[in-house]
């Protein structure tokens, strides 16, 4: 029996460059996909641009946003130890996964967009008809990816990601290094967002699956796992 393989890409950046305010991985954007994949017995590899410790945004640990699944994982010492030992992207670049999943958190805006290894991994997986998924600020990892033909991967694609209005609601407009929504549009993406900010929205465009914000975490995980299941059925 074939076991699906997922590469979970996380940030290694724990502070905003201009203020030193703490940031990192947004926990629920990792735990929900991890939980769904774990339940199905899928093989998961966790990697970040430089490997090692994965900082977790303290905002994502506050009771108002820390859902039951995320809290249970966070209270598990083995889970937290696992996050301290992410592999380096260089060490997995030769592997082909069934899905690569770019978890979010503001830290990704610093170490995802210009990482050449991450770009190469994304291009290879897209061109091998594998799922490329990204949620919230993790979508910033798609910004500078180019296909073999030299075009930006997201040009003409339906896509979502954390909106500028949501950045304002999160009180982070002055902290972030760029406007993600505007940057996606500048790359020629057909950017879409939920009518009501901070509500779930997930978009599938061929191999590309994107989620708008932390509140999309559960739906995002379900959609990605459904996509994997459908492809598995087709391949049999």
């Amino acid at each position: 029996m074939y076991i699906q393989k997922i590469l979970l890409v996380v940030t290694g950046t724990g502070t905003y460059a201009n203020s030193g305010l703490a940031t990192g991985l947004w926990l629920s954007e990792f735990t929900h996909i991890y939980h769904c994949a774990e339940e199905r017995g899928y093989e998961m590899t966790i990697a970040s641009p430089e490997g090692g410790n994965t900082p977790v945004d303290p905002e994502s640990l506050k009771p108002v946003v820390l859902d039951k699944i995320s809290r249970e994982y966070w209270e598990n010492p083995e889970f937290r130890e696992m996050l301290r030992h992410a592999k380096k992207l260089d060490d997995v670049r030769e592997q082909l996964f069934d899905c690569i999943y770019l978890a979010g958190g503001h830290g990704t805006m610093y170490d995802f967009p210009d990482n050449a290894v991450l770009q190469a991994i994304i291009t290879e997986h897209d061109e091998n008809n594998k799922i490329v998924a990204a949620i919230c600020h993790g979508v910033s990892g798609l910004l500078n990816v180019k296909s073999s033909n030299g075009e930006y991967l997201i040009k003409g694609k339906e896509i979502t990601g954390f909106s500028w209005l949501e950045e304002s609601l999160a009180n982070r407009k002055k902290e972030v290094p760029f406007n993600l929504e505007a940057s996606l549009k500048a790359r020629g993406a057909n950017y879409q967002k939920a009518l009501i900010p901070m509500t779930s929205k997930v978009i599938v465009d061929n191999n590309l699956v994107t989620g708008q914000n932390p509140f999309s975490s559960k739906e995002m995980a379900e959609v990605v796992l459904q996509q994997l299941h459908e492809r598995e059925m087709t391949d049999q």
Side-chain angles (χ1 to χ4, degrees), residues 13 21 96-97 110 118 121 158 178 183 198 216 218 230:
T13 302
L21 192 69
L96 197 62
F97 298 85
Y110 296 97
L118 180 58
I121 290 172
E158 292 191 3
F178 57 89
S183 298
M198 300 298 192
S216 310
K218 185 173 185 290
E230 288 175 5

Side-chain angles (χ1 to χ4, degrees), residues 191-234:
Y191 177 84
Q192 299 179 26
K193 58 187 174 185
L195 289 173
I196 302 170
M198 300 298 192
T199 60
S200 181
K201 186 172 186 66
V202 175
I203 295 176
V204 179
D205 188 334
N206 197 15
N207 296 330
L208 199 60
V209 184
T210 50
Q212 183 174 332
N213 51 41
F215 303 96
S216 310
S217 299
K218 185 173 185 290
E219 183 185 356
M220 182 74 176
E222 292 169 351
V223 170
V224 169
L225 271 292
Q226 181 61 32
Q227 290 286 312
L228 281 168
H229 177 70
E230 288 175 5
R231 288 169 183 233
E232 189 177 18
M233 294 297 101
T234 303

Side-chain angles (χ1 to χ4, degrees), residues 35 50 57 62 106 133 136 141 160 172 213 217 219-220:
H35 178 70
E50 296 302 323
D57 193 320
K62 290 186 173 179
H106 282 98
C136 199
T160 190
R172 290 294 183 267
N213 51 41
S217 299
E219 183 185 356
M220 182 74 176

Side-chain angles (χ1 to χ4, degrees), residues 46-231:
I46 301 156
S48 64
E50 296 302 323
N53 184 54
T54 306
V56 175
D57 193 320
E59 293 291 320
S60 72
L61 301 176
K62 290 186 173 179
V64 68
V65 294
L66 191 65
D67 56 64
K68 183 174 182 288
I69 284 175
S70 299
R71 186 177 67 252
E72 287 176 355
Y73 276 108
W74 188 243
E75 290 173 351
N76 181 343
E78 291 181 6
F79 175 81
R80 290 169 74 164
E81 185 64 20
M82 179 186 71
L83 286 179
R84 293 188 190 103
H85 301 282
K87 291 187 175 182
K88 191 173 182 177
L89 282 175
D90 274 320
D91 297 333
V92 299
R93 68 179 302 167
E94 302 302 324
Q95 299 178 47
L96 197 62
F97 298 85
D98 299 287
C99 169
I100 58 171
Y101 185 99
L102 279 57
H106 282 98
T108 62
M109 301 184 82
Y110 296 97
D111 58 3
F112 276 17
D114 297 319
N115 188 278
V117 178
L118 180 58
Q119 292 169 18
I121 290 172
I122 292 170
T123 300
E124 182 182 13
H125 280 74
D126 178 66
E127 294 183 351
N128 277 280
N129 201 34
K130 304 298 183 183
I131 295 169
V132 174
I135 184 167
C136 199
H137 294 92
V139 177
S140 66
L142 304 175
L143 273 175
N144 298 320
V145 179
K146 291 186 177 181
S147 300
S148 295
N149 62 8
E151 293 274 16
Y152 284 109
L153 178 72
I154 61 174
K155 184 180 178 181
K157 298 281 181 66
E158 292 191 3
I159 199 171
T160 190
F162 208 62
S163 71
W164 193 235
L165 175 56
E166 289 172 325
E167 211 69 83
S168 181
L169 293 172
N171 198 28
R172 290 294 183 267
K173 283 174 76 172
K174 293 181 179 178
E175 307 291 341
V176 294
F178 57 89
N179 178 333
L180 178 59
E181 178 180 342
S183 298
L184 292 168
K185 291 175 179 176
R187 291 283 186 256
N190 178 9
Y191 177 84
Q192 299 179 26
K193 58 187 174 185
L195 289 173
I196 302 170
M198 300 298 192
T199 60
S200 181
K201 186 172 186 66
V202 175
I203 295 176
V204 179
D205 188 334
N206 197 15
N207 296 330
L208 199 60
V209 184
T210 50
Q212 183 174 332
N213 51 41
F215 303 96
S216 310
S217 299
K218 185 173 185 290
E219 183 185 356
M220 182 74 176
E222 292 169 351
V223 170
V224 169
L225 271 292
Q226 181 61 32
Q227 290 286 312
L228 281 168
H229 177 70
E230 288 175 5
R231 288 169 183 233

Side-chain angles (χ1 to χ4, degrees), residues 35-53:
H35 178 70
C36 286
E38 189 175 49
E39 277 194 326
R40 288 162 177 78
Y42 290 176
E43 183 181 307
M44 286 175 283
T45 301
I46 301 156
S48 64
E50 296 302 323
N53 184 54

